[in-house]
C-alpha cells in the first residue's frame, strides 16, 4: 500500500520545502502539494513526480491581508486532506485556520521561524492562545534548531517529545563530501564578500552604507531577492557592489561560493527568530570552506565560534566592522581558519 501525503505550502519556491517533499518521495509516498505563490525566487522549483494545486498569489509579510485568501481556499485544503494519510503544513496562518478540522494523528507541522503578528498585546494574546491549541493538536512538530525546540515547547507548554529537529544541512545526494571547494587564502583586502539569499534584514543596508563611507577595497556581490531589493539597488554600481538577482538553489550554489571569500550572514540579532535560528548559510559555508560573518548574541554565533569557521560582530558597529575587515589583522585571522574546516565531521553539515 502506498501512503499519501499532502503538503500545504505558503510558497512553492522555498528550498527547505523541496527538501522535505523529496524526502517523502524517496520513501515511496504519493505526494500532493497545495501551494500559494509569491514573487520571490521564481527560479526554484519543486521536485518532479508530484501532484500540484495552486492556491493563488499572496503578498509576502502581509499576514493580516492573507486571512481572506486562506479562508477562500479552506474547502480545497479540507477536501484534499481527506484523501491523504498525512497533512504536512509549513505556515502558522494556514495551520491556525485548518487545525480544528484535521485529525491530530494526520497533522504534521514545521516551524521555520518565530513571528510577531501584532504589536497589540490583546491581538498577540489571542494569537498565542489559538496557536497553543494548534500546536498541541499536531502529531509531530518539526523545527530547524534546538533553540526553536526549547522556545516553542516552553512558551506554549507543548510536550517536548512531539518535536523533531531537522537542521538545514545539505543533502549528501547533491553535495558529495569529495566535491568540496578548497579553502581560498586571501593576501590583501581585495577579496569578495557575498550576500546570499532572501534580502530582508536592514543590516544589509547598514553594512553597505558603512562600506561606501569607508572606501574599502574589498568588493561585494549580492545574490538573491527580497523586500529590500529596491533599497539595495541604490548601492549597486556594477564595480564595487554587484547584484546578480535570483538564483536556483541548490543548482547555483557551487558557482556562487566559487566567487565568494566571505559570506555576510548578519541578520537582526534583536529579532527572537534570528537569536535562535541556524540558517542554511552555516552548513553551506562549512561545506564550501568559505568563512561566514554573523551577528553577535545569536545561537548562530555560538556555532560559528564552536567550529571556528568565521567571525561575529555587533550589528550596531558596522563602522568598526568595516575597519576590521580592511586591516592586516583580519587577513591573518581569516587565513588562520583554513585548517578548521577539515576538522569538522561531515555529519555536522551533510544530511543523508
Amino acid at each position: 500500500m502506498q501512503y499519501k501525503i499532502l503538503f500545504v505550502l505558503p510558497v512553492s519556491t522555498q528550498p527547505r520545502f523541496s527538501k522535505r517533499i523529496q524526502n517523502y518521495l524517496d520513501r515511496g509516498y504519493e505526494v500532493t502539494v497545495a501551494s500559494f505563490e509569491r514573487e520571490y525566487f521564481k527560479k526554484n522549483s519543486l521536485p518532479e513526480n508530484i501532484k500540484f494545486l495552486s492556491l493563488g498569489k499572496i503578498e509576502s509579510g502581509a499576514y493580516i491581508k492573507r486571512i481572506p485568501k486562506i479562508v477562500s481556499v479552506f474547502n480545497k485544503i479540507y477536501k484534499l486532506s481527506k484523501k491523504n494519510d498525512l497533512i504536512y503544513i509549513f505556515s502558522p496562518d494556514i495551520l491556525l485556520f485548518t487545525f480544528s478540522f484535521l485529525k491530530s494523528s494526520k497533522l504534521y507541522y514545521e516551524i521555520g521561524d518565530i513571528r510577531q503578528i501584532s504589536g497589540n498585546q490583546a491581538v498577540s494574546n489571542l494569537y498565542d492562545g489559538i496557536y497553543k491549541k494548534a500546536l498541541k493538536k499536531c502529531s509531530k512538530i518539526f523545527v530547524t534548531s534546538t533553540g526553536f525546540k526549547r522556545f516553542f515547547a516552553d512558551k506554549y507548554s507543548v510536550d517536548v517529545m512531539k518535536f523533531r529537529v531537522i537542521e538545514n544541512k545539505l543533502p549528501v545526494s547533491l553535495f558529495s563530501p569529495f566535491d568540496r571547494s578548497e579553502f581560498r587564502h586571501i593576501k590583501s583586502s581585495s577579496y569578495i564578500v557575498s550576500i546570499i539569499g532572501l534580502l530582508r534584514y536592514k543590516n544589509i543596508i547598514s553594512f553597505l552604507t558603512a562600506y561606501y563611507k569607508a572606501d574599502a577595497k574589498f568588493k561585494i556581490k549580492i545574490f538573491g531577492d527580497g523586500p529590500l531589493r529596491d533599497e539595495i539597488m541604490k548601492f549597486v554600481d556594477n564595480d564595487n557592489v554587484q547584484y546578480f538577482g535570483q538564483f536556483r538553489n541548490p543548482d547555483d550554489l557551487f558557482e556562487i561560493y566559487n566567487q565568494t571569500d566571505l559570506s555576510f550572514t548578519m541578520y537582526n540579532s534583536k529579532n527572537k527568530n534570528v537569536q535562535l535560528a541556524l540558517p542554511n548559510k552555516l552548513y553551506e559555508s562549512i561545506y564550501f570552506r568559505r568563512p561566514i560573518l554573523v551577528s553577535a548574541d545569536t545561537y548562530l554565533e555560538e556555532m560559528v565560534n564552536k567550529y571556528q569557521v568565521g567571525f561575529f560582530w555587533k550589528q550596531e558597529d558596522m563602522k568598526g566592522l568595516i575597519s576590521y575587515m580592511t586591516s592586516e589583522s583580519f587577513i591573518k585571522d581569516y587565513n588562520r581558519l583554513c585548517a578548521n574546516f577539515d576538522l569538522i565531521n561531515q555529519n555536522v553539515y551533510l544530511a543523508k
Side-chain angles (χ1 to χ4, degrees), residues 297-309:
D297 305 318
T298 61
Y299 187 34
L300 180 56
E301 175 206 338
E302 292 181 30
M303 294 299 103
V304 169
N305 194 36
K306 175 181 178 179
Y307 296 113
Q308 291 291 294
V309 291

Side-chain angles (χ1 to χ4, degrees), residues 186-247:
I186 58 176
K187 298 179 180 179
S188 69
S189 56
S190 298
Y191 54 88
I192 297 173
V193 177
S194 290
I195 301 171
I196 307 165
L198 182 60
L199 309 175
R200 62 173 171 171
Y201 290 113
K202 285 286 187 176
N203 281 350
I204 298 173
I205 305 301
S206 300
F207 180 68
L208 291 171
T209 301
Y211 170 78
Y212 268 110
K213 287 182 178 179
D215 191 31
K217 299 300 181 184
F218 62 83
K219 295 184 182 295
I220 298 174
K221 294 187 176 184
I222 304 169
F223 304 88
D225 201 352
L228 290 180
R229 178 185 56 199
D230 292 343
E231 198 170 348
I232 286 171
M233 291 304 295
K234 298 174 184 177
F235 296 91
V236 174
D237 58 13
N238 294 319
D239 181 18
N240 294 309
V241 179
Q242 296 175 281
Y243 176 68
F244 295 88
Q246 297 184 18
F247 61 90

Side-chain angles (χ1 to χ4, degrees), residues 242-336:
Q242 296 175 281
Y243 176 68
F244 295 88
Q246 297 184 18
F247 61 90
R248 294 171 299 166
N249 187 326
D251 307 62
D252 296 335
L253 289 180
F254 286 87
E255 181 179 351
I256 289 172
Y257 278 94
N258 191 47
Q259 303 176 51
T260 299
D261 293 307
L262 180 69
S263 174
F264 179 90
T265 313
M266 289 188 68
Y267 303 149
N268 181 12
S269 61
K270 303 299 182 184
N271 182 301
K272 191 68 176 179
N273 182 67
V274 173
Q275 292 171 11
L276 301 176
L278 285 182
N280 55 321
K281 301 297 179 299
L282 171 66
Y283 309 97
E284 291 170 9
S285 291
I286 295 174
Y287 177 82
F288 289 106
R289 292 189 175 98
R290 294 295 185 265
I292 185 172
L293 171 61
V294 306
S295 296
D297 305 318
T298 61
Y299 187 34
L300 180 56
E301 175 206 338
E302 292 181 30
M303 294 299 103
V304 169
N305 194 36
K306 175 181 178 179
Y307 296 113
Q308 291 291 294
V309 291
F311 308 87
F312 53 89
W313 202 268
K314 290 282 188 180
Q315 65 181 29
E316 298 83 5
D317 184 26
M318 290 297 180
K319 181 179 178 180
L321 172 61
I322 298 295
S323 178
Y324 171 59
M325 291 174 66
T326 55
S327 69
E328 288 295 324
S329 295
F330 173 79
I331 296 172
K332 292 178 182 178
D333 292 341
Y334 180 99
N335 290 328
R336 286 195 193 104

